[in-house]
Amino acid sequence: MASLDAFFAPRTVAVVGASRDPAKIGHLVTKYLLESEARVYPVNPSAREILGRPCYPALESIPGEVDLAVLAVPAPATVEMVRECVKKGVRAIIAQASGFGETGEAGRRLETEIRDILSSVPGDRRPRLLGPNTLGVYVPRNRLDTTFTVRERSPRPGPGDIAFISQSGATAVCIMEAAASMGVGLSAFAGIGNKLDVDENELLDYFAADPHTRAIAFYLENFRDGRGFLERCRRITPRKPVVVLKAGRSASGMRAAALHTGSLAGSDRVVEGALRQVGAFRAYDEEELVDLARVLGQGRPLAGRRVAVLTTAGGLGVILTDLLESRDRGVGLELAPISEEGKARLRSALVPFASVHNPIDLTANSSNQHYADALRVLEEEEDVDAILCVMQFQSPYVDEALADLIIDRFHHGPKPMVVVTIGGELSWRGLRRLGEARVPVYPSLWRAVRATAALYQRGCYLARCTGVTAQGTAAAQLRPRAWEGGSCHV
Amino acid sequence: MCDPREMIRSGLPLAEHQAKDLLASYGVNVPPRVVLSPEGTGVSEVPFPYPVALKVSHADILHKTEMGGVRLGIPDRAGLEAAVADMRSRFPGKSLLVEAQQPPGVEAIVGLIYDATFGPSLMVGLGGVLTELYEDVAFRVAPISEEDARDMLSQLRAHRLFEGFRGIRASRDALVSVLLGVSRLAQELGEHIEQMDLNPVIVYADRAVVVDAKIRPRQPS
């Protein structure tokens, strides 16, 4: 079993500190793990049976190998249990307890003890450790879930494309829940906590090689090895997009400011430049992190800056035009010109009062068929680099099959597409449906425009990697499948 | 010890003329200059045309303008002699730097900093007095490629200054070349430099010249 696989696809999992008390973390962890594909061994010296499974008094009494041990015990006991894991030959350890380095000197000493225990083991037999101070992992596709928030209160995302690595557990829970509510799925979540052993760099490598992951999203408060992170990004971003929400922007920049460069640097402007240098995207809040990760993982990079807007509400088209084209309150893209032939085709397909100029307005009398016809025309327009599609359900001639139509054109049409829907429950149903079908869709015009701009930036970056100019590249050459596995050096 | 590289490696601060020697050795343009030692008396003829600038050049004096340690636009030899006499009386025991006065142009700042997370990192931005006003700067981790240097400039709000804006002729290539020189310097000495400001770097149609240079070494641990 390759190094970190024991964390994400273990065959056997021991829960140390498993409990019969539904209010205990050790209970929830056991309960959720029992739904996974792994074989689960509850460990607790004072119970014979937990949730219908025989309980083992100690790790060493478990018959057979243990790939992963989840330590759901307090900090001081965690140290002892790490020792037991070593004896048992456990491959991977998730140390969930808080009360380590994050709390002060006494906690730091406990971390040092753990580090000493691990480093005394020869490399090939040394267990890897995630945490301490972590929720652990969540892998939707095999239902491996060590995060211990109550599911009824905190629904988890389904299977998806995004690997999410977070330095804060509670923050990650909120972000995952918000993603789940939009139908956005994950390939995996990993909480790195205090990064005693496994850190963001190793997980970046791991998910770069993971075939289920198409974008890697980070919430980080510091970098274990900043240069190492950048070197990895440089290698990985030509194949797989990386998005980083790096928090702690203002406080950490305390340095001698005798010179301009120092006072201007803070630490934050350097982070911004460094990430841009290696083709990683920077997000500034939790919403942008998921918004960018999904569009970059699922969408196709733009080969140029000309966007066609398809709407059923004229005003939304006007606002989108402003957001797309404005440089100070927008993203500085352009509206694509529609050819005379394209306009003629639109005119004959749409209602007489529809606008066939970009933004193309199907009007409130639009039907599923109008959407289908207009999309077909735009797909064949040479000067259109992307389609920004407003999906609205208010018209009496539109029904929920519109969502399927848009899903089909997103996945099978020739042009990059981003979708936006503004409204109430029907909109949200459509939004979740598209989300689950891995189509980037947003409940706000600005977020959709920002996502479109991210695909444009990605296109420019990839063009730089391959030495082709963004303008001069056919969209087809930039389709995601084409560069997966291909080599591209910056 | 007077090799500026060795001084930096030992954590010793550089006077401006030493910083400029160092930059010149990485192919970065600095003005023609002569150094007047503290022991000297009068002024011999300078090997470049007037007007000239006169500056006190000493590692302890970081903000020399504020201390009256800079005289610009000295038109002739008589003026220079008077200025030197005045400067010597006010800054006894300090070296003086006479430089060919650089004509006005587009002012940029180029910086280098040892970042706690990423190590030696470069900065470029709008220079002169506008640096603090607009904070229009971009950073990259050293070393940088030519592509990185161009991308840094394109990231500035003022990027059009280097793209022929309103007929202003300020060579983007020349500024890129300064950045690449500083990047080479950072590769060799970046571990030993806490901060470096080149401000202003005056950018003309065909060249960019570092008019002022300040370097603070990192203290060896």
Side-chain angles (χ1 to χ4, degrees):
Chain A
M1 184 169 280
S3 63
L4 299 184
D5 283 344
F7 286 107
F8 302 102
R11 292 159 302 190
T12 53
V13 184
V15 183
V16 178
S19 171
R20 279 178 298 199
D21 178 353
K24 290 270 175 66
I25 286 170
H27 180 86
L28 285 175
V29 171
T30 311
K31 184 172 143 189
Y32 296 150
L33 281 173
L34 283 171
E35 294 173 24
S36 75
E37 292 169 4
R39 179 165 186 162
V40 178
Y41 302 110
V43 177
N44 187 331
S46 54
R48 310 255 321 250
E49 193 191 278
I50 291 174
L51 290 159
R53 299 297 161 111
C55 186
Y56 295 84
L59 271 170
E60 59 182 353
S61 51
I62 295 172
E65 296 182 353
V66 173
D67 287 336
L68 173 65
V70 181
L71 308 185
V73 294
T78 296
V79 179
E80 201 41 51
M81 288 305 125
V82 169
R83 226 184 290 278
E84 298 295 314
C85 287
V86 168
K87 267 191 226 156
K88 175 66 186 167
V90 167
R91 290 187 174 81
I93 301 169
I94 291 174
Q96 295 191 308
S98 305
F100 285 93
E102 80 280 8
T103 57
E105 189 47 43
R108 269 194 290 278
R109 277 199 297 277
L110 293 178
E111 285 191 19
T112 306
E113 280 185 61
I114 292 178
R115 210 172 272 120
D116 291 345
I117 295 169
L118 293 178
S119 58
S120 68
V121 185
D124 56 328
R125 289 180 33 236
R126 185 182 304 157
R128 301 307 311 274
L129 186 139
L130 194 60
N133 187 21
T134 178
L135 293 172
V137 299
Y138 169 52
V139 186
R141 73 175 174 281
N142 60 22
R143 296 181 305 283
L144 185 80
D145 185 2
T146 74
T147 70
F148 43 79
T149 49
V150 180
R151 275 194 194 166
E152 292 70 30
R153 303 180 65 105
S154 171
R156 314 283 202 264
D161 309 299
I162 304 170
F164 177 32
I165 296 146
S166 176
Q167 198 167 337
S168 163
T171 305
V173 166
C174 304
I175 291 175
M176 286 197 282
E177 197 181 318
S181 77
M182 295 183 50
V184 175
L186 297 180
S187 57
F189 159 75
I192 46 181
N194 295 6
K195 317 189 210 181
L196 186 150
D197 178 26
V198 176
D199 62 18
E200 64 274 16
N201 286 356
E202 215 173 339
L203 289 168
L204 179 53
D205 280 335
Y206 182 80
F207 288 112
D210 172 30
H212 303 286
T213 297
R214 294 178 66 183
I216 307 171
F218 287 94
Y219 170 77
L220 293 176
E221 290 168 6
N222 57 46
F223 293 92
R224 160 74 67 79
D225 162 16
R227 287 248 162 186
F229 190 83
L230 298 182
E231 279 156 26
R232 285 171 174 81
C233 283
R234 199 186 286 281
R235 216 169 48 233
I236 290 163
T237 55
R239 288 179 291 119
K240 225 174 244 194
V242 173
V243 186
V244 181
L245 171 50
K246 163 68 179 62
R249 293 195 284 137
S250 49
S252 57
M254 303 305 293
R255 59 168 111 235
L259 301 185
H260 283 308
T261 307
S263 62
L264 289 167
S267 68
D268 197 62
R269 282 202 173 98
V270 182
V271 173
E272 185 190 319
L275 291 176
R276 177 167 165 147
Q277 194 173 2
V278 295
F281 282 76
R282 183 162 192 192
Y284 287 90
D285 63 24
E286 78 299 338
E287 182 180 270
E288 192 177 15
L289 180 66
V290 177
D291 281 1
L292 293 186
R294 67 187 295 202
V295 80
L296 293 166
Q298 299 167 345
R300 286 177 225 154
L302 270 53
R305 55 168 73 233
R306 300 159 305 178
V307 180
V309 171
L310 182 61
T311 180
T312 58
L316 296 185
V318 180
I319 302 169
L320 281 170
T321 302
D322 288 345
L323 293 174
L324 282 166
E325 295 203 321
S326 166
R327 288 183 184 279
D328 46 357
R329 305 290 278 183
V331 296
L333 293 176
E334 292 165 14
L335 250 61
I338 306 299
S339 69
E340 288 311 315
E341 191 206 337
K343 283 179 192 162
R345 288 176 63 198
L346 286 169
R347 229 173 258 124
S348 67
L350 306 180
V351 295
F353 39 90
S355 166
V356 299
H357 301 276
N358 197 6
I360 291 111
D361 182 5
L362 303 177
T363 78
N365 280 0
S366 59
S367 65
N368 289 2
Q369 192 57 47
H370 291 142
Y371 265 102
D373 291 342
L375 282 171
R376 189 71 68 176
V377 171
L378 294 178
E379 285 174 0
E380 289 167 17
E381 282 292 300
E382 208 172 304
D383 291 338
V384 169
D385 296 309
I387 300 170
L388 184 43
C389 181
V390 180
M391 173 177 75
Q392 296 302 128
F393 296 97
Q394 288 88 354
S395 159
Y397 313 112
V398 158
D399 61 26
E400 289 189 66
L402 174 61
D404 298 318
L405 189 159
I406 289 174
I407 290 167
D408 174 72
R409 294 330 296 158
F410 175 85
H411 286 297
H412 302 112
K415 302 276 190 198
M417 197 192 290
V418 171
V419 184
V420 57
T421 178
I422 308 295
E425 190 42 41
L426 267 184
S427 273
W428 274 87
R429 260 170 41 200
L431 181 112
R432 282 191 288 272
R433 192 141 153 194
L434 264 63
E436 283 156 15
R438 306 188 183 195
V439 176
V441 55
Y442 300 93
S444 111
L445 300 180
W446 164 242
R447 289 166 66 184
V449 165
R450 186 174 62 184
T452 308
L455 289 181
Y456 174 68
Q457 284 165 27
R458 178 90 181 136
C460 294
Y461 174 68
L462 292 175
R464 235 179 86 178
C465 292
T466 50
V468 188
T469 63
Q471 291 292 344
T473 314
Q477 286 174 266
L478 285 172
R479 293 178 70 141
R481 298 294 176 196
W483 75 72
E484 271 175 7
S487 65
C488 175
H489 299 284
V490 187
Chain B
M1 194 182 320
C2 52
D3 174 12
R5 275 189 188 70
E6 283 316 309
M7 290 178 67
I8 291 276
R9 288 199 177 97
S10 314
L12 296 173
L14 300 190
E16 182 181 341
H17 63 275
Q18 294 163 321
K20 283 185 168 161
D21 288 346
L22 182 69
L23 287 162
S25 73
Y26 288 95
V28 176
N29 265 335
V30 292
R33 63 205 179 281
V34 290
V35 179
L36 309 180
S37 75
E39 296 78 32
T41 48
V43 187
S44 56
E45 191 49 87
V46 292
F48 39 81
Y50 287 88
V52 299
L54 177 68
K55 308 186 221 178
V56 60
S57 180
H58 192 277
D60 291 346
I61 303 178
L62 211 50
H63 298 289
K64 49 193 175 295
T65 309
E66 291 82 341
M67 299 179 65
V70 178
R71 286 282 304 277
L72 299 178
I74 299 167
D76 51 30
R77 178 155 180 186
L80 179 60
E81 278 173 357
V84 165
D86 168 57
M87 205 77 97
R88 280 211 163 109
S89 71
R90 290 187 297 120
F91 299 98
K94 309 277 196 264
S95 294
L96 300 179
L97 177 59
V98 186
E99 286 185 337
Q101 172 82 39
Q102 299 302 301
V106 172
E107 296 191 349
I109 180 171
V110 171
L112 176 63
I113 187 162
Y114 190 88
D115 182 77
T117 302
F118 297 112
S121 304
L122 280 85
M123 182 188 85
V124 70
L126 212 50
V129 294
L130 299 181
T131 303
E132 278 178 292
L133 183 62
Y134 290 114
E135 301 197 350
D136 187 12
V137 294
F139 283 83
R140 292 292 183 274
V141 173
I144 58 166
S145 66
E146 187 176 331
E147 188 90 46
D148 288 331
R150 291 182 189 285
D151 193 44
M152 285 172 91
L153 291 177
S154 74
Q155 205 185 330
L156 299 179
R157 275 169 291 168
H159 65 95
R160 288 195 293 162
L161 273 179
F162 308 105
E163 294 160 11
F165 177 69
R166 289 194 159 226
I168 294 171
R169 298 182 63 210
S171 164
R172 189 170 65 159
D173 288 348
L175 189 50
V176 164
S177 146
V178 172
L179 283 166
L180 293 176
V182 173
S183 173
R184 288 191 295 273
L185 185 156
Q187 263 185 295
E188 281 183 35
L189 297 173
E191 297 293 320
H192 305 284
I193 294 174
E194 177 62 44
Q195 291 179 41
M196 178 172 90
D197 270 7
L198 312 182
N199 188 22
V201 178
I202 304 188
V203 189
Y204 305 101
D206 57 344
R207 67 193 199 285
V209 182
V210 175
V211 170
D212 193 12
K214 299 181 168 94
I215 301 183
R216 285 166 58 94
R218 283 177 83 202
Q219 293 314 310
S221 45

